[in-house]
Amino acid sequence: MSENATPLIDEPVEIAIVDYGMGNRRSVEKALEHVGARATVTREHEQLRAAAGLIVPGVGAFPRAMANLRELGLDELLRERLAAGTPVLGVCLGMQIAFDSSSEQGGAAGLGIVPGDVRALATNGLKLPHIGWNEVRFTQPNSPLVADLPSSCAFYHVHSLAPVPADQRDILGVADYGAPFVSAVQHGSFYGVQFHPEKSSAAGLRLLANFARICIAADSGNPPSALDADAASPGEPRSAVL
């Protein structure tokens, strides 16, 4: 963070960026530093276990990403940290690999953290990949990940596939590109965004600052509630319908 920059979080927090050889690690690191977090790019298991939160970036193909994670033992580590309640943010491909499977390049199994699969965008004739700014409509306004953000705001997307959660209660945000698609999810302590917050100007930095606050709260033993008392109870569908 530059000397003249004002941090968006009140206290520093250690967030580790999972290095599995794919994607936008340095740009995510710089964005986290800008909001006031202490960021480390690493594949070392002990460093990942010591961090208050993890970010899984990713640009590339789903099957290769999963192969890299398995080779480094990071698939089991991510499951372990999530089981312990550690906040994890998946970005773009880093969100997709959290699902059960993807149809990309003949198909591959994912981490199985969020029930559902990843499919090619149904664009009704619009070209792929979908590249550029697109409005995301947040369907869970009480989620701590979107605190202080408008209910609809633009983020930068670069993708040809998108997740299809099995449970609509896991949907946090939707956008449109020829047809609606899921652009943000939340499942337990896992948060995922199809867009790139590190490339999304002030809104993206605000979202990363919100994730840092989630990590601070979890590290202090007081994780924020995903939804307030007015939210849907288990078994009651929420308003996100595609």
Side-chain angles (χ1 to χ4, degrees), residues 16-64:
I17 300 162
V18 181
D19 179 7
Y20 61 107
M22 301 187 72
N24 45 331
R25 291 153 291 182
R26 179 55 184 153
S27 57
V28 174
E29 181 184 26
K30 290 175 65 177
L32 284 172
E33 291 171 349
H34 186 86
V35 305
R38 292 193 292 258
T40 303
V41 178
T42 184
R43 60 183 59 179
E44 297 300 324
H45 288 207
E46 290 313 307
Q47 284 186 298
L48 294 169
R49 288 189 176 99
L54 305 177
I55 291 185
V56 186
V59 175
F62 189 108
R64 174 65 183 276

Side-chain angles (χ1 to χ4, degrees), residues 164-233:
V164 181
D167 189 339
Q168 291 210 353
R169 292 175 298 177
D170 291 335
I171 298 173
L172 176 57
V174 297
D176 291 279
Y177 186 68
F181 67 88
V182 173
S183 190
V185 299
Q186 179 177 335
H187 183 87
S189 64
F190 179 83
Y191 303 83
V193 292
Q194 184 59 66
F195 50 83
H196 289 273
E198 77 283 3
K199 298 180 180 180
S200 295
S201 192
L205 292 175
R206 171 58 61 189
L207 185 140
L208 289 173
N210 287 342
F211 179 70
R213 290 193 185 94
I214 292 168
C215 296
I216 291 168
D219 200 40
S220 68
N222 185 32
S225 174
L227 296 169
D228 69 10
D230 293 329
S233 60

Side-chain angles (χ1 to χ4, degrees), residues 20 22-23 58-65 92-94 96 104-105 158 161:
Y20 61 107
M22 301 187 72
V59 175
F62 189 108
R64 174 65 183 276
C92 196
L93 178 62
Q96 294 180 3
E104 187 174 17
Q105 294 185 354
V158 183
L161 299 96

Side-chain angles (χ1 to χ4, degrees), residues 29-170:
E29 181 184 26
K30 290 175 65 177
L32 284 172
E33 291 171 349
H34 186 86
V35 305
R38 292 193 292 258
T40 303
V41 178
T42 184
R43 60 183 59 179
E44 297 300 324
H45 288 207
E46 290 313 307
Q47 284 186 298
L48 294 169
R49 288 189 176 99
L54 305 177
I55 291 185
V56 186
V59 175
F62 189 108
R64 174 65 183 276
M66 285 305 305
N68 287 7
L69 286 172
R70 286 192 294 269
E71 182 179 346
L72 296 167
L74 294 172
D75 54 340
E76 290 303 323
L77 184 137
L78 286 168
R79 295 186 184 103
E80 169 199 311
R81 300 316 302 144
L82 283 161
T86 301
V88 177
L89 174 64
V91 174
C92 196
L93 178 62
M95 173 184 71
Q96 294 180 3
I97 57 178
F99 283 80
D100 293 324
S101 63
S102 172
S103 62
E104 187 174 17
Q105 294 185 354
L111 292 170
I113 293 164
V114 185
D117 57 4
V118 177
R119 306 174 192 172
L121 287 170
T123 65
N124 290 318
L126 296 180
K127 68 179 182 179
L128 290 173
H130 167 217
I131 301 176
W133 294 86
N134 202 337
E135 291 282 325
V136 177
R137 304 182 303 280
F138 294 119
T139 57
Q140 296 186 30
N142 297 308
S143 167
L145 190 67
V146 300
D148 299 321
L149 283 170
S151 60
S152 178
C153 58
F155 292 90
Y156 191 78
H157 294 72
V158 183
H159 63 120
S160 295
L161 299 96
V164 181
D167 189 339
Q168 291 210 353
R169 292 175 298 177
D170 291 335

